[in-house]
Amino acid sequence: MALSVEKWVGFGSAMAGFGLLWSRMPEHVHDEARHIISSLVPMLMSCFNPYEQISISEYGEERFRRNKMFDAVSTYLRSTCLDVASNLKAELGNKSKDDPLISLDEDQEVVDNFDGARMWWRLCPKSAKKKGATIISLLPGDSDDEHPRCYRLVFHKRHRKLVLDSYLPRIVRQWREQTATDRQRLLFTNHSQQGKSHWINVPYNPPAKFDMLAMDHSKKVEIMEDLMAFREAKAYHSKVGKAWKRGYLLYGPPGTGKSTMIGAMANLLGYDVYDLDLTSIKDNAELRKLFLDTTDKSIIVIEDIDAIEVELTTKRKKGKEAATQENNSDSHNLVTIELSDKTKDHGKVTLSGLLSFVDGLWSACGSERIFVFTTNHVDRLDPALIRRGRMDRHIEMSYCRFEAFKMLAKSYLDITEHSLFGEIGQLLDEINTTPADVADSLMPRGKRNGEMDRLLDEMNGAPAADLMLRVKRRRDADDCLAGLVETLKTKKAAKMKSAAPPMESMGEAKEE
């Protein structure tokens, strides 16, 4: 006991001597000593700490691209660890209104077991960055003032190889398998909030299919074959050194089925659709971020490109004229799209910035993407935007002719021939009317009452019911086709009246 007291007395004297010596040292020595101690402490702690952690951020470097590993972990934990979690959150799923999607809430910790190893998972909310944190990071951190949400995986050091070589790869495999099985097509649109744009989505189940499109059959088959060839052309694009993407320009008057064509493309390929609104994007940097947040196997759509491009074309021509007067130089590289009076203060999106994603450096950041531009006035578009290689196929969505009408009659009335078909075909050749107008005339107006519907439902399968249904369909077809004939005759008369010269003009011509 006396020996222990003597040891403590000696230790106290040594500490007192060290304190006196420390007080006599210059201030810069204090700063150097603090720096050395602060750098050694984390190293010493890591030597004694038996655990390591991996941080999986929601976004990658500079938040340009969403981290798919984050989505993989979310899906894995949702299917594996929800039973042991006490704090959950729920939202409506994509497939059923009655099927809530349950996931971990923020700051909730769960434990998973893999081959006898324990793994601790926690979903960390957005937080201010902390200097000096020592973690194994799968992706570089961003340069903003806040960390995005992230999953933290903690495990024992002896399981490091197991985690990196087996556990995390298994999570990715399960995520890919489940995504392929439960895939729900989505429709995305860009939304601006607090000065930043991001994608929001809704479930997308377009009813349109190619066999329902009112257009020439051979042209439709040609488009379908082109799309299917593109989907299987990964090796070919790699061989020739081109980005795996394709551009389509859909042009024609309003109501000719351009948006319906996009839905049919999505149905045929099983791709998501991104509806890009350029007027809500403030500059090229924001456009770049949105583009990098799109996924593979997607259709990126810019509708009514002429509504923006007409301003670009006009400004570009003025810029060339001014440059010719000053120094006879081409100024097209300096031209910007002025979006609208409401967005002038928010910045500019340049033509070169748009083209860099369609057919430039950034077009290679991703694969299996289709770009679709739609326009009502193809003559207003800048040739640089729609040249071959950017818009690989130019598809004219024209007025409704007889072949397209027959497809509409089959879809809407379930008939392939009728006594009025000849007259309708002749009228369609003489006037320009859109498939949308024809389809509106072919929609049955439903003259039966509810009691008749109930009786037909009760007789479903009986010969009498079949006969009544055929009679009803025939009556609907007669009424609809007769109404279409009257509509077309009215349009033809209006066209002839507008084309005929006024009577006064004819009288003046005779006098001369």
Side-chain angles (χ1 to χ4, degrees), residues 151-316:
Y151 281 105
R152 295 279 172 82
L153 169 61
V154 179
F155 54 91
H156 199 279
K157 285 183 176 181
R158 65 174 176 267
H159 300 138
R160 178 189 180 101
K161 185 174 179 59
L162 176 68
V163 169
L164 297 180
D165 295 346
S166 301
Y167 184 59
L168 293 181
R170 189 189 71 160
I171 290 177
V172 174
R173 286 195 302 272
Q174 290 188 3
W175 170 65
R176 294 191 185 281
E177 292 172 0
Q178 186 167 349
T179 300
T181 303
D182 302 332
R183 177 169 173 77
Q184 164 69 57
R185 279 197 308 277
L186 299 174
L187 174 63
F188 293 81
T189 185
N190 51 302
H191 174 69
S192 181
Q193 186 176 17
Q194 297 179 350
K196 296 182 179 180
S197 289
H198 62 277
W199 293 109
I200 57 176
N201 64 77
V202 295
Y204 185 52
N205 297 298
K209 296 181 180 179
F210 269 95
D211 57 359
M212 302 176 182
L213 291 181
M215 62 186 305
D216 182 73
H217 179 71
S218 60
K219 185 176 180 180
K220 186 166 30 177
V221 171
E222 183 181 352
I223 296 171
M224 294 174 63
E225 291 177 347
D226 188 74
L227 289 168
M228 298 302 291
F230 166 78
R231 189 171 66 176
E232 305 298 329
K234 180 179 180 180
Y236 172 78
H237 283 80
S238 177
K239 176 183 176 182
V240 299
K242 292 184 61 177
W244 191 10
K245 55 90 181 174
R246 193 155 180 81
Y248 290 83
L249 175 67
L250 308 182
Y251 65 95
T256 51
K258 294 184 288 295
S259 297
T260 305
M261 169 68 78
I262 295 171
M265 288 180 172
N267 262 331
L268 179 67
L269 300 174
Y271 288 2
D272 293 333
V273 175
Y274 289 82
D275 183 16
L276 181 61
D277 180 12
L278 285 178
T279 61
S280 65
I281 302 174
K282 64 180 182 180
D283 53 30
N284 287 340
E286 194 168 287
L287 178 64
R288 185 182 305 120
K289 179 186 180 302
L290 285 171
F291 179 80
L292 292 176
D293 275 344
T294 60
T295 61
D296 299 341
K297 298 180 181 292
S298 60
I299 301 174
I300 301 173
V301 180
I302 302 179
E303 292 196 281
D304 297 323
I305 187 67
D306 58 284
I308 299 173
E309 187 65 15
V310 64
E311 299 180 16
L312 167 66
T313 304
T314 303
K315 190 173 181 64
R316 178 166 176 171

Side-chain angles (χ1 to χ4, degrees), residues 54-79:
I54 295 178
S55 176
I56 303 175
S57 176
E58 187 173 11
Y59 286 90
E61 187 174 2
E62 298 180 359
R63 299 195 185 183
F64 269 162
R65 185 188 292 272
R66 185 174 177 86
N67 185 4
K68 295 181 181 179
M69 188 67 193
F70 183 92
D71 297 331
V73 172
S74 298
T75 303
Y76 173 78
L77 295 180
R78 188 182 303 126
S79 61

